[in-house]
């Protein structure tokens, strides 16, 4: 069950018949203790560390799309750090499983409601696996202004 409105709206999108025809399986992860990604950043002068569980895992064939849901325009320093560290985490994971000759690949995205429709289009026609999709929140989070990483 989802607690936040942006997550509930995303569930409605992936439960649509258009997506259900395409998807093999999906799961909404728990807030803690499911699949944890570590991150760190500087909060003022103090280094801060934490971890988070991405909200959704969507499976199509050998591909897993990992989604973290945020409110529109939530480009906090903490979210910038989460995004940066999670991108690196899944890039490193893909390199390791490729070395092991495993076909599965992970595709990580931050999403907010203003990009759901576009994401669904890219997801349903497989462009999301060509790394051609970028959400509006990802563009905001990629801006390096004001955030310091450890």
């Amino acid at each position: 069950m989802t607690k936040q409105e942006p997550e509930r709206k995303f569930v409605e999108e992936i439960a649509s018949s258009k997506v259900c025809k395409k998807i093999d399986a999906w799961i909404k992860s728990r807030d803690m203790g499911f699949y944890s990604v570590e991150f760190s950043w500087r909060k003022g002068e103090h280094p801060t560390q934490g971890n988070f569980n991405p909200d959704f895992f969507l499976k199509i064939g050998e591909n897993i799309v990992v989604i973290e849901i945020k409110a529109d325009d939530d480009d906090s320093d903490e979210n910038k750090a989460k995004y940066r560290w999670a991108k690196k985490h899944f890039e490193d994971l893909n390199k390791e499983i490729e070395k092991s000759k495993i076909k599965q690949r992970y595709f990580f995205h931050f999403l907010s409601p203003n990009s759901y429709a576009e994401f669904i289009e890219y997801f349903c026609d497989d462009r999301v696996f060509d790394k051609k999709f970028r959400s509006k929140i990802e563009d905001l989070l990629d801006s390096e202004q004001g955030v310091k990483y450890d």
Side-chain angles (χ1 to χ4, degrees):
M1 190 58 138
T2 62
K3 295 178 184 177
Q4 303 296 321
E5 184 62 23
E7 293 174 1
R8 277 195 295 274
K9 286 182 179 180
F10 188 70
V11 168
E12 290 172 12
E13 292 287 336
I14 62 175
S16 73
S17 63
K18 181 179 183 178
V19 177
C20 283
K21 291 177 186 174
K22 185 81 176 169
I23 201 166
D24 292 328
W26 67 276
I27 189 167
K28 164 63 177 97
S29 68
R30 300 182 319 174
D31 290 339
M32 295 174 51
F34 180 73
Y35 187 104
S36 186
V37 177
E38 293 181 359
F39 69 100
S40 66
W41 82 103
R42 287 187 128 355
K43 193 172 188 176
E45 293 299 315
H46 305 287
T48 304
Q49 295 184 351
N51 58 57
F52 75 100
N53 286 287
D55 294 309
F56 293 91
F57 290 76
L58 314 175
K59 183 178 186 304
I60 296 180
E62 301 291 341
N63 297 316
I64 308 289
V65 181
V66 182
I67 305 290
E68 174 67 7
I69 300 292
K70 294 295 174 197
D72 290 335
D73 302 321
D74 186 358
D75 65 343
S76 68
D77 287 349
E78 181 178 355
N79 283 341
K80 287 179 181 182
K82 286 179 180 180
Y83 181 62
R84 178 178 174 263
W85 282 82
K87 279 193 331 184
K88 175 92 169 94
H89 170 85
F90 287 105
E91 287 168 6
D92 292 347
L93 176 60
N94 282 332
K95 287 176 187 174
E96 289 301 314
I97 61 178
E98 189 173 352
K99 285 181 193 175
S100 300
K101 309 254 189 273
I102 297 170
K103 292 180 182 178
Q104 192 169 50
R105 293 294 173 267
Y106 290 83
F107 300 83
F108 177 75
H109 288 285
F110 261 56
L111 282 181
S112 63
N114 63 13
S115 294
Y116 289 172
E118 184 181 10
F119 171 79
I120 294 301
E121 291 302 316
Y122 276 69
F123 184 81
C124 288
D125 68 13
D126 293 336
R127 286 181 292 164
V128 75
F129 305 119
D130 295 332
K131 299 181 182 177
K132 294 181 179 178
F133 174 78
R134 284 192 51 87
S135 69
K136 291 175 182 161
I137 192 84
E138 287 173 321
D139 288 339
L140 285 173
L141 295 172
D142 260 342
S143 71
E144 296 288 330
Q145 298 172 353
V147 68
K148 296 178 182 172
Y149 302 104
D150 273 356

